[in-house]
Amino acid sequence: MDSSQAEPLNINSASSLLDEIGKLSPKAQDGHYDELRGNAEDLLTHWKNFFEQLEPTGLADLDQRTQELNRQVRDNGITYNVYADENGPQRPWSVDLFPLIIAADAWQEIESGILQRARLLEAIITDVYGQQNLLKEGLIPPALVQGHPGYLRAMHGVNPAGNKHLHIIAFDLARAPDGKWSVISQRTQAPSGLGYLLENRNLIARQFPKAYESMRIAPLANAYRDLVDTLKLQSSAGSNAHIALLTPGPYNETYFEHAYLARYLGLTLVEGGDLTVRDQHLFLKTVRGLEPVHVLLKRLDDEFLDPLELRSDSTLGIPGLLQAIRAGNVIMANAPGSAFLESPALLGFLPGISEYLLNEKIQLPAMDTWWCGERAALESAIPNLGHSAIKPTYPQSFGHENYESELGGSLSQAQLDEWVGKITRQPDEHTVQTYIPLAQMPTWLNAFNINDASLIEPHSYMLRVFALSNGVDKWQVLPGGLARISTTDSGIASMQRGGSSADVWVQSAASNQAPDFTPQQTQNTKYAGRKRLVTSRAAENLYWFGRYTERSENILRLAKLYLENINSDYTPSKALWTWLESLCEQYGLVPDGVPTNFDHDEVRHRIYERTLIDSLNSLDHATSVGFNLSAMKRTASNVRERLSPEQWSTINHCIDNFQADYHKATAYQDFSSSLAIDALTRASQALAAVTGAQTDRMTRDDGWQLLAIGRHIERLSFLTSALDMAITSSLLFNPHIDDSGYIALLTLFDSTITFHAQHQQSREIGALVDLLVMDDENPRSLAWVSKALRSRLSKLAGTERNAPDELTRSVTNLQDYSLDLLITINQNNELQNLRNCLANCSQAAWNVSDEISARYFNLIHHNEYSVQT
């Protein structure tokens, strides 16, 4: 059925739901396997079962479910960034509403074939880095091993710790028009998808809970748990092994997955700079010293792992890592040196290798593949280019041809002739693989956005499945996978080319019971609990996460206070103008040289106001509200694994809403001040949720202590500066006559309600100083901030309150001052004692900042960076 001729959904149709679905679901295109119908006219049984569970609403609420699904993706912050950059927009993860459903018998065929191929690949890499019988017998051309940049001579003869090279393998499968499965490619270096498919399961199972339960869909959690347990038990530390996940960093396109897996599996998320090798052992740099790492789950290509022995320009790896692996002191999943297994050329040699190494025929075939480096293969491949895929033999390898795979069927004759010339000139650089039209699965089209189109439309897909280590000689296939859906007619399903994804439901023969928690046989090792480790990098990001949060809150309140005063019914005093505009200039809310309002000139009045509003979201201006909010998000993204989805969502909503509100304020000139105040108010409310999550949703470990210290330093600096400038601007001079400055200062300190509760309508300087400086129960007073800062520093240093360390003692204790002393006016009619106190507080805050950086981040403190035992 042509989608342009499909009937629109009729909710009131008298036909049955399945009949309605049949009408709204065009068959797969000619030559493609139809996942919905197979090779028959009627819907397959498992799809009938799925759609029957949609009763009583049928298809009527699927648009609403789609919107809910998209909202959940945004709220969870699920992203896949094709070209991630520091300031660029993050691309939301794309997942279709319908899962790909695989019946139990079809999955058994896949599972059996994948288990065999996993054993085969492990046997191949063991031989290649060992006796090399495959090369001696001519079963693999040397060019595909020793000539492959991914073959690491430094690993030859190495028996990895745990006696296993491979722990995670991904296989990309396609389904032929006859329903048979074939292998397209395999990934062994750092296969992606394990986090995304788990998130897909959580999202889609939530949309169709009834169908998920009734159709006996195999759960995923057991396989992940078994993988972690296996890695631990293969290490020398046993069940107490420390496992870390190595990521290239937050600008990698799949960083969300890295953070998600680390959080889900309870691993430490690390970058290369977080690790160091000492005496052939791997250690993690933490704020407490060096902690041993026994297992490293890597999401980094091999060539970047060790700048001493691999790419010397790599800033992502760890110098000396390969030596630690060779010494058997760390398990790496997967061991370095497996990249040659990813060459598509190898697929053509696997049937013969399987019979040689395993004495078994290949159960799950690959597509017919020719490595053009062999003359006979070249002669067979050239005539088949028109219906084949042309792939680089050494993909993404330095010194070799690198190009995107091309489908011969999409090329003109002139283009085909050009390819023949390229292949003939450099035959070993090219591999030709028979192409079959990809199977097509049903996808749901959102009726709110599609006019006169089928609501269920077939799209081509490719299936990625994973084999996970389950012991030295054991494997298990994750009962599910990641379906990558092509959104075009290109015949290539790729997330990097804008594709979508789908959850994969595998029906199990057994009923869906609770997971089996029968304990596995373990080593006789006493389990010792370990506090969550805080790397120096994570500590620094948490510290600045706290500082940027507090800084954003302070300048939001300051900008809002200025705009409210300039648009109030009364004319503020010159002292108030002086104070507000001096603060705005000091904290960069307006650039230097903008005319002030001191003379109350209307033109100048509007210039200053207009400039402040225009600068609120200037992302290239390091002191703007927008810049600081973005910096808060950037530092938070660097510790994404430590934040709950709700906390991350709150941060995103805060920034997105502020940018939208700011755009309104600058678009409507006549109402810009009012709209800007609204934007600042909403952002302040959102920041309150962010700070609330920091307070109530994070563990009080060393990282949180540093986050809190960052906030306290920033608050102490801002409040002392604001109060000191209020004194020098004569803001508090004779408040019984003009109390506008008195009120404004209370507002900036967010202490108006508290002041009225304690001092009613007093306008005495003593009452103000008592609340804003001396009251250690007011979280906006200098005494409270100083006390909290000392407490956090003492906790971080591990000292008792009655025996603080030198850094803790350096923070000003306001209890050493008396109120009478602070409000004493000297002969020059100045509050000099109060100003001296403020200067001491401010200087102490910056001294603490410098010392924190030196002691915990830059590792240049006078004490040695010790190894923790």
Side-chain angles (χ1 to χ4, degrees):
M1 181 186 298
D2 190 304
S3 62
S4 63
Q5 299 174 346
E7 298 178 5
L9 177 62
N10 182 2
I11 303 301
N12 298 319
S13 173
S15 61
S16 70
L17 175 61
L18 295 180
D19 288 340
E20 191 70 21
I21 290 171
K23 294 178 182 178
L24 296 170
S25 307
K27 292 183 179 179
Q29 298 171 358
D30 291 342
H32 297 260
Y33 180 79
D34 191 335
E35 286 289 346
L36 193 60
R37 297 178 175 83
N39 293 318
E41 293 294 325
D42 201 7
L43 302 184
L44 293 176
T45 302
H46 50 272
W47 281 106
K48 286 183 179 179
N49 293 339
F50 174 78
F51 286 119
E52 284 171 350
Q53 304 305 318
L54 300 182
E55 294 288 7
T57 58
L59 305 180
D61 65 347
L62 293 190
D63 283 336
Q64 182 177 345
R65 297 193 202 199
T66 300
Q67 291 183 327
E68 170 63 22
L69 175 63
N70 294 334
R71 184 195 64 79
Q72 196 65 52
V73 168
R74 291 192 302 270
D75 287 351
N76 289 0
I78 312 173
T79 56
Y80 180 91
N81 305 323
V82 179
Y83 298 106
D85 65 82
E86 183 174 344
N87 297 313
Q90 293 182 318
R91 173 187 170 193
W93 177 247
S94 179
V95 56
D96 196 75
L97 183 63
F98 290 155
L100 171 65
I101 305 174
I102 301 178
D105 55 347
W107 181 253
Q108 187 175 7
E109 174 190 345
I110 294 173
E111 184 177 41
S112 177
I114 293 300
L115 288 173
Q116 182 196 49
R117 282 182 172 268
R119 290 189 293 114
L120 177 59
L121 293 184
E122 177 65 31
I124 291 173
I125 195 170
T126 300
D127 176 79
V128 163
Y129 285 105
Q131 297 181 349
Q132 297 192 334
N133 290 325
L134 293 174
L135 292 169
K136 295 174 184 176
E137 296 294 332
L139 291 166
I140 303 182
L144 297 182
V145 178
Q146 295 165 332
H148 195 293
Y151 170 74
L152 303 183
R153 287 167 175 78
M155 292 297 293
H156 184 75
V158 175
N159 183 26
N163 300 314
K164 199 163 190 174
H165 290 81
L166 304 177
H167 303 267
I168 304 171
I169 310 174
F171 296 89
D172 291 325
L173 309 180
R175 202 169 195 179
D178 61 1
K180 297 295 184 181
W181 295 94
S182 297
V183 175
I184 299 294
S185 62
Q186 53 206 21
R187 296 286 179 263
T188 55
Q189 283 194 90
S192 62
L194 280 174
Y196 287 118
L197 73 86
L198 192 61
E199 187 65 63
N200 280 359
R201 174 60 55 86
N202 294 334
L203 293 169
I204 303 305
R206 185 180 304 170
Q207 295 300 321
F208 303 105
K210 186 178 178 182
Y212 180 78
E213 182 178 359
S214 66
M215 295 180 69
R216 303 192 305 274
I217 305 304
L220 301 172
N222 291 353
Y224 288 85
R225 184 186 61 193
D226 290 346
L227 172 65
V228 172
D229 289 345
T230 297
L231 290 171
K232 285 185 175 181
L233 296 180
Q234 288 178 354
S235 76
S236 58
S239 59
N240 292 322
H242 177 201
I243 306 179
L245 191 153
L246 178 62
T247 173
Y251 305 129
N252 182 264
E253 66 267 20
T254 58
Y255 180 73
F256 164 81
E257 178 174 73
H258 308 169
Y260 180 87
L261 276 176
R263 184 169 59 241
Y264 179 78
L265 299 176
L267 312 181
T268 306
L269 186 65
V270 300
E271 297 179 25
D274 298 328
L275 301 168
T276 185
V277 174
R278 304 282 180 89
D279 297 326
Q280 300 184 8
H281 288 77
L282 185 64
F283 292 94
L284 177 68
K285 304 172 188 175
T286 78
V287 295
R288 297 291 180 184
L290 298 180
E291 290 282 350
V293 175
H294 307 98
V295 182
L296 199 59
L297 187 65
K298 69 178 173 73
R299 292 304 313 274
L300 189 64
D301 285 347
D302 291 346
E303 62 181 321
F304 298 101
L305 287 175
D306 188 341
L308 288 183
E309 300 193 47
L310 301 173
R311 282 188 58 159
S312 60
D313 62 341
S314 172
T315 59
L316 304 176
I318 308 99
L321 178 60
L322 257 61
Q323 183 55 37
I325 294 172
R326 286 194 294 264
N329 295 325
V330 60
I331 292 178
M332 176 167 280
N334 291 329
S338 69
F340 74 93
L341 293 174
E342 298 184 347
S343 173
L346 191 65
L347 293 174
F349 298 93
L350 291 186
I353 297 174
S354 178
E355 294 190 20
Y356 178 80
L357 290 179
L358 304 182
N359 199 27
E360 298 173 3
K361 290 185 177 296
I362 285 284
Q363 298 177 31
L364 187 63
M367 304 301 300
D368 291 337
T369 305
W370 300 274
W371 175 54
C372 296
E374 292 186 323
R375 185 171 185 81
L378 173 64
E379 293 175 350
S380 298
I382 294 298
N384 291 301
L385 281 187
H387 50 270
S388 299
I390 307 168
K391 299 183 175 182
T393 300
Y394 311 99
Q396 298 179 344
S397 296
F398 179 76
H400 290 273
E401 283 285 321
N402 281 293
Y403 53 88
E404 293 289 341
S405 297
E406 289 280 2
L407 296 181
S410 64
L411 301 176
S412 66
Q413 186 58 51
Q415 291 172 320
L416 282 172
D417 292 341
E418 185 178 346
W419 273 106
V420 170
K422 291 180 181 178
I423 295 172
T424 304
R425 288 190 297 271
Q426 292 181 300
D428 59 317
E429 298 284 346
H430 299 85
T431 297
V432 176
Q433 187 178 73
T434 297
Y435 172 76
I436 58 171
L438 298 177
Q440 296 188 331
M441 63 171 287
T443 62
W444 176 254
L445 299 181
N446 190 327
F448 295 144
N449 299 324
I450 305 296
N451 295 321
D452 299 326
S454 303
L455 295 179
I456 299 177
E457 184 172 275
H459 276 271
S460 300
Y461 77 92
M462 187 178 293
L463 174 63
R464 173 164 288 190
V465 297
F466 293 85
L468 306 180
S469 174
N470 197 21
V472 175
D473 298 315
K474 296 181 180 178
W475 292 89
Q476 64 177 324
V477 180
L478 188 73
L482 184 67
R484 290 173 292 171
I485 303 173
S486 174
T487 56
T488 67
D489 296 330
S490 65
I492 298 177
S494 169
M495 301 304 294
Q496 290 186 339
R497 298 192 183 188
S500 184
S501 70
D503 188 17
V504 178
W505 288 10
V506 174
Q507 289 188 292
S508 58
S511 60
N512 234 5
Q513 299 176 347
D516 180 15
F517 290 103
T518 303
Q520 300 181 9
Q521 183 178 358
T522 61
Q523 299 177 3
N524 187 21
T525 304
K526 183 178 179 180
Y527 178 78
R530 179 191 289 114
K531 289 185 177 181
R532 187 175 191 180
L533 301 175
V534 182
T535 67
S536 297
R537 177 188 56 82
E540 185 170 12
N541 278 288
L542 286 166
Y543 171 75
W544 280 102
F545 180 32
R547 288 196 65 169
Y548 279 123
T549 303
E550 186 69 27
R551 189 176 297 179
S552 298
E553 193 171 14
N554 291 335
I555 60 176
L556 275 168
R557 185 176 291 109
L558 174 58
K560 181 170 176 281
L561 180 63
Y562 175 85
L563 291 174
E564 286 176 339
N565 275 275
I566 203 173
N567 290 281
S568 63
D569 293 335
Y570 66 92
T571 302
S573 65
K574 183 175 181 179
L576 180 56
W577 279 134
T578 302
W579 177 64
L580 283 174
E581 295 188 358
S582 297
L583 275 177
C584 288
E585 290 166 12
Q586 177 174 335
Y587 286 94
L589 287 174
V590 291
D592 294 335
V594 178
T596 69
N597 291 301
F598 296 162
D599 57 3
H600 307 297
D601 179 80
E602 180 65 21
V603 174
R604 292 190 173 191
H605 169 100
R606 290 306 169 192
I607 290 176
Y608 200 93
E609 177 187 20
R610 185 74 255 163
T611 303
L612 185 146
I613 294 173
D614 288 342
S615 301
L616 286 176
N617 196 40
S618 177
L619 296 182
D620 59 352
H621 189 40
T623 53
S624 73
V625 173
F627 181 92
N628 281 286
L629 288 174
S630 297
M632 176 187 71
K633 178 180 177 179
R634 184 169 62 252
T635 53
S637 71
N638 291 336
V639 287
R640 178 77 179 275
E641 78 282 3
R642 291 178 168 268
L643 308 181
S644 68
E646 294 81 6
Q647 190 172 359
W648 180 251
S649 176
T650 300
I651 294 170
N652 280 311
H653 281 311
C654 173
I655 296 173
D656 292 344
N657 291 337
F658 174 73
Q659 291 176 345
D661 292 342
Y662 169 80
H663 177 73
K664 293 179 183 177
T666 54
Y668 299 98
Q669 296 288 331
D670 292 343
F671 305 99
S672 58
S673 295
S674 175
L675 292 173
I677 291 172
D678 290 343
L680 294 168
T681 300
R682 289 188 63 190
S684 295
Q685 293 168 348
L687 269 180
V690 173
T691 57
Q694 291 175 354
T695 303
D696 295 333
R697 298 294 183 90
M698 299 182 72
T699 304
R700 264 45 172 184
D701 58 9
D702 291 338
W704 185 88
Q705 302 297 337
L706 284 162
L707 183 152
I709 288 169
R711 289 193 59 190
H712 296 329
I713 288 175
E714 200 70 35
R715 184 178 300 182
L716 195 58
S717 172
F718 179 79
L719 295 182
T720 53
S721 177
L723 186 51
D724 184 69
M725 197 169 290
I727 297 171
T728 59
S729 301
S730 301
L731 184 70
L732 304 179
F733 181 76
N734 208 354
H736 295 284
I737 298 175
D738 179 9
D739 66 354
S740 60
Y742 201 99
I743 295 172
L745 190 59
L746 285 172
T747 302
L748 189 63
F749 272 67
D750 195 21
S751 298
T752 304
I753 296 176
T754 305
F755 182 84
H756 289 162
Q758 294 183 9
H759 302 286
Q760 290 74 51
Q761 293 297 316
S762 172
R763 293 297 181 261
E764 299 296 332
I765 296 297
L768 186 73
V769 173
D770 180 51
L771 179 65
L772 302 187
V773 178
M774 304 298 292
D775 190 344
D776 63 1
E777 294 183 355
N778 174 20
R780 293 287 169 177
S781 79
L782 303 185
W784 186 94
V785 179
S786 297
K787 183 176 73 172
L789 180 57
R790 289 197 306 276
S791 175
R792 300 279 75 79
L793 289 170
S794 179
K795 184 76 172 180
L796 188 64
T799 59
E800 299 294 332
R801 289 191 177 184
N802 58 358
D805 68 334
E806 181 181 354
L807 183 58
T808 303
R809 291 197 303 271
S810 70
V811 179
T812 305
N813 186 352
L814 273 299
Q815 300 303 317
D816 295 339
Y817 292 83
S818 70
L819 179 60
D820 290 340
L821 176 68
L822 294 180
I823 63 174
T824 298
I825 298 176
N826 65 11
Q827 59 210 20
N828 296 322
N829 202 29
E830 296 174 342
L831 294 168
Q832 192 58 48
N833 292 335
L834 178 56
R835 293 198 66 200
N836 292 341
C837 173
L838 297 177
N840 291 338
C841 289
S842 179
Q843 187 59 48
W846 294 116
N847 290 342
V848 168
S849 177
D850 292 341
E851 185 67 12
I852 285 287
S853 296
R855 180 180 295 189
Y856 296 108
F857 309 150
N858 299 327
L859 312 181
I860 59 173
H861 194 254
H862 56 80
N863 292 332
E864 286 190 10
Y865 204 52
S866 60
V867 177
Q868 300 299 305
T869 58

